[in-house]
Amino acid sequence: MTEKRKKSGEISRREFLRDAGLLVGGTAIGSTVLLAACGGGGATETVTKTVTSTVPGGTATVTSTVPGGTATVTTTVPGGTGVQTVTVTKTVEVPSGAGPVGLTEITFTLNGRVYTRLVDDSWDLQYFLHDIMGFIEIKTFCYRGACGSCSVIMNGRPILSCTTLAVNADGAVIETSRGIAMSGHPLVNAYIKNHCMQCGYCTPGFLVTSKALLDRNPNPSEEEIMEALSGNICRCGTYPAHIWAIQEAVAEGGM
Ligand code: FES
Ligand code: FES
């Protein structure tokens, strides 16, 4: 998981499992832990613990820390030495959104190919497509919906993938700059001929936004082009070149 993911403050399933500590009679024990999924509002957690140390017979206190608080349960365990199993079921209140996130299976079409993947409910689409699926052409200048570099076309509209949840891509048709380039769209040659990129970092976002514009308006005016591209930021200042490229693609591509 990248650093930007860690900054979100979410509790991963791995961390949740790791943090669900369990003590029996004050003895720390290593073993198998099984946690049932927690829902928002109220959550039921089942803890199964294999004891590998001497446990006194009688009553023992089992404490487990979960998101939303600490639960303490008193239970009876058999005495003796050897491997013993203690099972505790408890219910704790977990504030909505504070519990571990779930996984959702989604199916979507990306650049003409159908994928089915499990996604964490907290993942944004940029992280999923870029970091998990390897579509590294989807950039991030700002990661907060202000620069357009993460733009992809989803269901015919340009969207900011950094502010879109990956689970919302279920059933969607998505196109990235890679798909546009592989399709041989007239914009690609026009971008090259008009030197639309200097460092090139913003270029995929511009290309995606330009393609979406031509899909819905095959012959846009200069004003319409400027308005369509107004959400894309270029630190190198290539703005006029994108207007020329779109106009050239319209002229040469018979849009
Ligand atoms: S990275 Fe998504 S808008 Fe800037
Ligand atoms: S070409 Fe460098 S940021 Fe746009």
Side-chain angles (χ1 to χ4, degrees), residues 141 196-203 206 233-238:
F141 267 146
C196 288
M197 65 293 287
Q198 288 190 33
C199 77
Y201 193 84
C202 71
T203 313
F206 271 95
I233 304 297
C234 174
R235 291 187 297 194
C236 301
T238 60

Side-chain angles (χ1 to χ4, degrees), residues 53-220:
S53 61
T54 301
V55 179
T59 300
T61 299
V62 178
T63 302
S64 181
T65 303
V66 297
T70 301
T72 302
V73 177
T74 300
T75 187
T76 301
V77 297
T81 302
V83 176
Q84 302 176 54
T85 301
V86 177
T87 302
V88 176
T89 300
K90 63 182 181 294
T91 301
V92 296
E93 282 299 315
V94 178
S96 180
V101 294
L103 296 175
T104 301
E105 184 179 275
I106 64 172
T107 298
F108 56 97
T109 302
L110 179 59
N111 293 337
R113 183 175 162 190
V114 177
Y115 297 87
T116 297
R117 291 288 187 276
L118 270 182
V119 299
D120 185 306
D121 291 344
S122 73
W123 287 351
D124 60 77
L125 188 60
Q126 195 279 338
Y127 170 76
F128 170 56
L129 295 181
H130 182 282
D131 290 37
I132 303 297
M133 296 208 52
F135 287 79
I136 58 173
E137 68 272 24
I138 308 171
K139 306 301 186 189
T140 50
F141 267 146
C142 70
Y143 214 62
R144 59 190 63 185
C147 74
S149 63
C150 64
S151 299
V152 299
I153 298 175
M154 188 156 98
N155 297 330
R157 298 182 53 209
I159 59 130
L160 301 175
S161 59
C162 75
T163 56
T164 303
L165 286 174
V167 290
N168 289 342
D170 189 28
V173 177
I174 301 170
E175 192 173 16
T176 72
S177 58
R178 184 186 310 194
I180 297 169
M182 289 172 61
S183 73
H185 194 283
L187 271 172
V188 178
N189 271 341
Y191 260 61
I192 295 169
K193 285 171 66 178
N194 287 278
H195 305 290
C196 288
M197 65 293 287
Q198 288 190 33
C199 77
Y201 193 84
C202 71
T203 313
F206 271 95
L207 184 66
V208 161
T209 308
S210 301
K211 163 72 160 46
L213 168 64
L214 294 182
D215 283 348
R216 68 177 185 275
N217 181 0
N219 191 19

